[in-house]
Amino acid sequence: MTLKVYLSGEIHTDWREQIVEASKGLDVSFNAPVTDHGASDDCGVNILGAEDQKYWHDHKGAMVNAIRTRKGIQDADVVVVRFGDKYKQWNAAFDAGFAAALGKSLIVVHGADHQHALKEVDAAALAVTEDPLKVAEILRYVLTGQLPG
């Protein structure tokens, strides 16, 4: 069984690379949003033309990025959403809600300090962890039935 996994959320740490590395040897394919912050912010105006107002600049980028995000989440068997410590990731919460609405298997990753704020997101998830490496252990168990250790 091949699992298609979409890795959404925080872009300021290497959590995606940790999961991919720890999942080597598993029948998993990973997809993610564009994690180059500058490219993600400016894709709309670079492709569709400049905007005088920041709102329209951001709006164009959000629309172009949504094409990739929607496709990635719709095609995924499992959606992993990471909420980082540094910024409020409203887009990550939106992705988690979209995945839940589509009935996707959702794994949420965040620290204890976000527990209260994300209680509704956590309630929609099938697993919640603080450690990205636990995601790889979940994937291994789902694919092989093997417990860690």
Side-chain angles (χ1 to χ4, degrees):
M1 156 181 22
T2 300
L3 283 181
K4 296 179 193 170
V5 179
Y6 188 78
L7 303 172
S8 176
E10 184 261 321
I11 65 170
H12 302 284
T13 64
D14 69 346
W15 69 274
R16 286 179 180 84
E17 291 79 8
Q18 290 177 39
I19 293 171
V20 171
E21 182 64 28
S23 299
K24 285 196 173 171
L26 296 177
D27 194 5
V28 180
S29 65
F30 292 99
N31 196 354
V34 172
T35 58
D36 176 320
H37 206 182
S40 178
D41 284 350
D42 296 338
C43 64
V45 295
N46 282 345
I47 297 167
L48 301 171
E51 290 293 340
D52 293 334
Q53 297 178 14
K54 181 69 170 145
Y55 173 85
W56 294 112
H57 175 111
D58 290 345
H59 189 68
K60 278 185 176 179
M63 291 187 307
V64 171
N65 283 314
I67 296 168
R68 180 183 180 101
T69 302
R70 288 180 188 179
K71 176 72 172 149
I73 292 173
Q74 287 171 339
D75 288 353
D77 300 306
V78 177
V79 176
V80 179
V81 181
R82 163 118 171 116
F83 294 87
D85 299 329
K86 193 170 182 182
Y87 301 102
K88 292 179 173 56
Q89 290 107 38
W90 307 119
N91 58 325
F94 186 87
D95 289 355
F98 183 52
L102 292 174
K104 300 296 176 174
S105 295
L106 179 62
I107 301 171
V108 175
V109 182
H110 64 74
D113 55 328
H114 286 36
Q115 184 177 1
H116 179 75
L118 294 172
K119 64 186 175 295
E120 286 83 5
V121 174
D122 290 352
L126 297 179
V128 179
T129 182
E130 294 184 27
D131 183 357
L133 295 178
K134 297 294 183 188
V135 173
E137 290 179 7
I138 291 167
L139 298 176
R140 183 171 311 284
Y141 176 77
V142 168
L143 287 168
T144 68
Q146 295 176 349
L147 291 172

